[in-house]
Amino acid sequence: MEFTHFDDRGNAWMVDVGSKADTQREAVARGSIFMSRQCLSQVLEGSMRKGDVLGVARVAGIMGAKKCSDLIPLCHLLNLTKLSLDFEILEERCEIQAVCTARTTGKTGVEMEALTGVSVALLTVYDMCKAVDKSMEIGSIYLEKKTGGKSGEYQNPGHAAKRGQT
């Protein structure tokens, strides 16, 4: 495997994608935060003192994805055509899953933007709920799928099976 983020002397650099063709690209990332039943109840009831937890986390995740190239040193600045951030509540597990979809037409993929969106959204949930539950756990942040580019489609095989997808 060729490491494209290093020059011939081993120095880190931003990959030159100038000669690549523009293609439609999409990435979906997912992650979870686990919390106490009391905390989850307050989130769902909208009674958290800091306000609408999921609404604020949605906006934060979208904003975070838009700033990806400012946060990840060798990430390209992308012209994003879509960013969405949704939540799935698994009450029996006291789990909130964040799902970020990022889309662009360009020369490089949007996986990092989707992963950043999920991460920032989950950190925002933690920040807004920490007064009620400091033991929350954030985890299992992963790329669920991506399309476009030279490598084509990718579906995360380990997580697709867990979610009942084929």
Side-chain angles (χ1 to χ4, degrees):
M1 170 186 274
E2 179 183 338
F3 293 103
T4 58
H5 283 81
F6 298 99
D7 66 14
D8 56 0
R9 292 173 297 198
N11 297 310
W13 68 312
M14 188 177 203
V15 175
D16 183 358
V17 297
S19 62
K20 292 174 72 176
D22 284 349
T23 62
Q24 290 185 347
R25 298 161 181 271
E26 181 177 278
V28 178
R30 181 180 296 270
S32 297
I33 187 165
F34 296 88
M35 58 187 58
S36 69
R37 191 155 309 283
Q38 174 197 359
C39 187
L40 182 60
S41 292
Q42 286 187 252
V43 170
L44 297 177
E45 293 166 1
S47 61
M48 197 62 67
R49 288 184 57 199
K50 286 190 172 183
D52 176 10
V53 172
L54 299 182
V56 172
R58 176 176 287 110
V59 173
I62 291 168
M63 290 174 66
K66 289 169 58 175
K67 293 288 190 180
C68 184
S69 65
D70 292 336
L71 300 169
I72 310 296
L74 302 177
C75 242
H76 290 86
L77 177 63
L78 299 181
N79 182 23
L80 298 168
T81 58
K82 175 187 179 174
L83 276 172
S84 65
L85 202 305
D86 296 303
F87 297 98
E88 295 177 14
I89 312 298
L90 302 172
E91 287 189 62
E92 67 282 357
R93 296 172 45 148
C94 295
E95 176 183 4
I96 298 174
Q97 292 185 351
V99 182
C100 184
T101 302
R103 198 177 293 153
T104 192
T105 299
K107 300 174 185 305
T108 190
V110 288
E111 297 91 341
M112 294 307 298
E113 287 73 13
L115 289 161
T116 300
V118 164
S119 300
V120 171
L122 294 173
L123 288 168
T124 301
V125 170
Y126 186 95
D127 180 57
M128 293 187 73
C129 298
K130 68 184 180 236
V132 173
D133 182 5
K134 289 178 179 44
S135 67
M136 289 176 284
E137 292 184 25
I138 295 172
S140 194
I141 298 171
Y142 63 95
L143 178 66
E144 189 169 86
K145 64 181 179 178
K146 74 107 188 153
T147 60
K150 187 170 78 173
S151 63
E153 288 192 29
Y154 169 80
Q155 179 82 36
N156 189 317
H159 292 284
K162 288 180 189 174
R163 300 191 45 75
Q165 301 168 351
T166 55

